[in-house]
Amino acid sequence: MKFTKALTGVAAAIALTSGSAFAEDLRWKMPVAFATNLPGLGAPGGWVAENLTTASDGSIQVRVFEPGKLVPPFDILQSVSDGKVAAGYTWIGYDQGKVPAIPLFAAVPFGMKPWAYMGWYYYGGGHEMLQEVYANKGFDVHAQLCGIIGPETAGWYAEPIETLEDYKGLKIRFAGLGGKVLEKLGASVTMMPGGELYQALEKGTIDATEFSMPAIDQILGFNQVVKYNLFPGWHQQFTAQYMLINMDEWNKATKAQKALVEASCTAATTRGLAEGEYKNGKVLAEFQDKGVQADQIPEDVLRELRDVTNEVMKEEAAKDADFKRVYESQNEFMESYKVWDTRAYVPADL
């Protein structure tokens, strides 16, 4: 009897130390919106899946499905919410038509630097607001920041942008709130996944496109079709990716399993930002040898774009209470952050 009790105690101790006591093993299928070979953007999704399996000692196993292999990239939110898949990894700005406030958590024109956004998200109530925003629109998901990169380029064009008039009539792939800005300027804005953009440019379905940072855009080969790559990425100073988890699956997880998801996604966010910052300079420096004209949008045009952006943001805030609440929170944070940002960092030209 004593021997049986001793064995039971040892088994319980082993289960507790492995974090699996009374826990149900989680087996999640996770479609991703971006190929996992794309640095900083898709790679964190693959990394976090592997890390969760290792760190949980197999208690959590996440099987990654590359874009379109299980769920179309733009259907990830709905599929996760409906329970068709347990999890998904995506840029949530794709769902602005369903959740108007969601682009504020994905990429904001003339918005925060990535590390400033992380400060607001983790310490300024951003994470909690994101859960509320989804719930308020009827989506049963838990969202976890799980990747971030710095500025995108302002896009790839056959001709440079020298005035706001140059956007008028332009057929362009542009995402998120930046797309609403260009629509206001008369551009014909369309959305399509990254894997379709090269062919669309080549066939003339679109005249121009933005997608991501130089280290990614070169993989997709845009420079083989058009030669003007414009900067700065005014429309996406940060680009944030998230792991979306079906709420029933999230509620099934133990505290230990949830903590591992949160820790792994935080690590993936750091690694994604680091990878982009490490690779972009070298890629950009080599563009000229590939016939790419990397130009800056004139400052007066940027100022005009900022003015139009402010109009769009006010219009969106007037239409949706969640948008207004989140936008005001971000602006309040930025007022104090600018005091630090303008004083603390050495100017780039020094």
Side-chain angles (χ1 to χ4, degrees):
M1 185 73 173
K2 288 182 179 178
F3 180 69
T4 303
K5 285 183 177 178
L7 283 178
T8 302
V10 169
I14 292 172
L16 283 169
T17 54
S18 69
S20 60
F22 312 114
E24 179 179 341
D25 287 345
L26 302 177
R27 301 291 181 262
W28 291 348
K29 293 180 179 179
M30 187 172 79
V32 298
F34 311 107
T36 53
N37 71 324
L38 298 181
L41 190 66
W47 182 88
V48 81
E50 293 177 7
N51 190 67
L52 280 171
T53 298
T54 302
S56 70
D57 199 22
S59 170
I60 307 172
Q61 293 183 23
V62 181
R63 183 181 175 189
V64 171
F65 290 82
E66 295 292 332
K69 297 298 182 182
L70 184 63
V71 173
F74 295 167
D75 292 349
I76 288 176
L77 169 61
Q78 194 68 58
S79 296
V80 173
S81 180
D82 291 345
K84 293 178 181 176
V85 292
Y89 184 85
T90 185
W91 183 69
I92 59 178
Y94 291 142
D95 294 303
Q96 69 179 5
K98 301 173 183 175
V99 190
I102 220 65
L104 295 170
F105 299 90
V108 180
F110 296 95
M112 302 180 217
K113 295 171 182 174
W115 47 89
Y117 176 76
M118 291 162 67
W120 174 80
Y121 178 85
Y122 289 123
Y123 294 99
H127 175 75
E128 292 75 18
M129 286 185 193
L130 178 56
Q131 314 314 312
E132 294 165 4
V133 163
Y134 274 126
N136 288 345
K137 292 297 187 285
F139 289 98
D140 294 323
V141 298
H142 172 83
Q144 195 73 44
L145 179 62
C146 210
I148 199 166
I149 57 175
E152 296 190 344
T153 80
W156 293 80
Y157 303 80
E159 301 291 338
I161 297 294
E162 296 175 341
T163 72
L164 289 190
E165 285 294 314
D166 293 332
Y167 287 111
K168 192 170 185 179
L170 194 68
K171 295 181 296 183
I172 186 168
R173 186 270 189 194
F174 225 76
L177 292 166
K180 289 184 178 291
V181 173
L182 295 194
E183 283 179 335
K184 205 171 183 68
L185 295 173
S188 175
V189 176
T190 188
M191 263 309 301
M192 57 181 71
E196 299 176 13
L197 295 178
Y198 180 92
Q199 190 174 35
L201 272 178
E202 191 176 41
K203 289 186 172 182
T205 306
I206 54 176
D207 304 317
T209 188
E210 58 78 48
F211 185 67
S212 192
M213 57 189 182
I216 290 174
D217 288 354
Q218 72 153 357
I219 294 173
L220 299 182
F222 301 147
N223 61 289
Q224 297 171 24
V225 186
V226 291
K227 297 300 183 182
Y228 284 95
N229 189 206
L230 303 187
F231 296 84
W234 58 271
H235 65 300
Q236 292 192 204
Q237 286 289 283
F238 74 89
T239 298
Q241 295 80 248
Y242 293 80
M243 186 174 181
L244 302 179
I245 302 164
N246 174 268
M247 191 58 78
D248 288 340
E249 291 290 331
W250 182 249
N251 290 337
K252 243 182 349 186
T254 65
K255 287 184 178 179
Q257 289 170 328
K258 289 177 180 177
L260 277 178
V261 170
E262 292 166 359
S264 295
C265 274
T266 303
T269 300
T270 303
R271 292 174 66 97
L273 180 59
E275 186 174 21
E277 294 300 292
Y278 178 75
K279 291 183 174 179
N280 280 323
K282 185 174 186 294
V283 172
L284 189 53
E286 294 173 350
F287 266 178
Q288 190 169 352
D289 295 336
K290 297 179 179 180
V292 175
Q293 188 72 37
D295 283 353
Q296 298 297 118
I297 296 175
E299 186 172 332
D300 61 326
V301 176
L302 285 174
R303 291 183 183 279
E304 291 174 315
L305 284 167
R306 185 188 60 188
D307 291 342
V308 178
T309 294
N310 290 338
E311 292 176 19
V312 168
M313 302 300 270
K314 288 177 182 176
E315 291 168 0
E316 295 300 306
K319 291 187 289 188
D320 185 82
D322 282 335
F323 191 105
K324 183 175 186 293
R325 180 168 61 100
V326 176
Y327 186 49
E328 287 176 350
S329 174
Q330 292 182 344
N331 284 341
E332 182 180 349
F333 165 68
M334 284 303 294
E335 284 302 311
S336 61
Y337 180 74
K338 284 176 183 175
V339 177
W340 165 250
D341 186 38
T342 55
R343 288 181 177 273
Y345 290 99
V346 175
D349 57 358
L350 291 179

